Amino acid sequence: MDTRETLVIVVHGNQTLPGNKIDPEYKQRCKRAVQIVKNSTTKKNIIVVTGGKTVKGLSAESEVAGTEVFKMILEEGLLYEEVEVLIEGRSKTTGENISFTQKLLIEKNIYPSKTIFIGRQSQMKKSRTIVKKIWSIGSQSTHFIGEVDHAPKW
């Protein structure tokens, strides 16, 4: 796959809610990713939803989010050829979101020209630090978007 002109959007997860529902803040981040793709001029667009099973008896965060992203893509009238959705379903921390996503992209021979990380506002400083330390797949451009954050500030 020629990925020289590829945009990858990594959406950090949130705990799955009872009834296997997506957290509203995670849903908003997914919506932001789909909007970015809708306005993208990049040849290949990939959304990676992240998050493993963090609540016993419920689905992985990324599985629930993946379903929502597919609905959003259809609602926006995007074609399958315009966007690919990848599920990173093992991570339980911000660091694992980034590390496991990088491994997934390498396994699929995807080396993006641009990467966008979307997470909670309180998560972005940590994301930047981790990406700077471990992200080795060499995007020409890396951006971070902090969305609404109702999580407690530790």
Side-chain angles (χ1 to χ4, degrees):
M1 171 191 292
D2 179 6
T3 58
R4 288 174 289 172
E5 290 189 44
T6 301
L7 167 63
V8 170
I9 305 170
V10 180
V11 185
H12 290 291
N14 257 38
Q15 262 186 1
T16 301
L17 300 178
N20 285 320
K21 304 278 187 204
I22 188 170
D23 175 90
E25 291 177 11
Y26 193 8
K27 186 173 183 175
Q28 181 60 38
R29 292 193 297 272
C30 291
K31 187 173 187 152
R32 179 75 174 261
V34 171
Q35 287 299 314
I36 292 169
V37 168
K38 185 176 180 179
N39 296 313
S40 174
T41 58
T42 308
K43 285 185 180 179
K44 181 73 176 169
N45 299 283
I46 300 169
I47 297 173
V48 182
V49 287
T50 67
K53 285 189 173 200
T54 54
V55 179
K56 189 174 183 174
L58 297 179
S59 296
E61 301 165 14
S62 57
E63 292 171 10
V64 175
T67 301
E68 288 293 325
V69 169
F70 281 116
K71 288 179 194 173
M72 291 174 192
I73 288 168
L74 291 174
E75 288 168 2
E76 290 296 333
L78 294 169
L79 301 174
Y80 177 74
E81 297 81 24
E82 294 176 285
V83 59
E84 181 178 355
V85 178
L86 299 178
I87 308 289
E88 181 289 298
R90 298 183 304 144
S91 61
K92 294 183 181 176
T93 66
T94 302
E96 288 180 350
N97 289 161
I98 295 165
S99 176
F100 295 163
T101 295
Q102 179 171 250
K103 288 177 185 172
L104 176 64
L105 295 174
I106 290 169
E107 286 170 9
K108 294 187 168 289
N109 200 30
I110 298 169
Y111 297 87
S113 55
K114 182 176 184 179
T115 306
I116 299 173
F117 293 87
I118 303 176
R120 296 184 311 271
Q121 290 171 348
S122 62
Q123 191 177 32
M124 289 298 90
K125 183 177 180 181
K126 185 178 191 178
S127 279
R128 279 188 187 94
T129 301
I130 294 167
V131 167
K132 190 174 181 178
K133 285 183 181 180
I134 69 169
W135 195 258
S136 65
I137 54 176
S139 294
Q140 299 165 0
S141 173
T142 304
H143 300 277
F144 300 85
I145 299 173
E147 285 287 328
V148 173
D149 189 350
H150 293 105
K153 309 294 186 263
W154 305 107

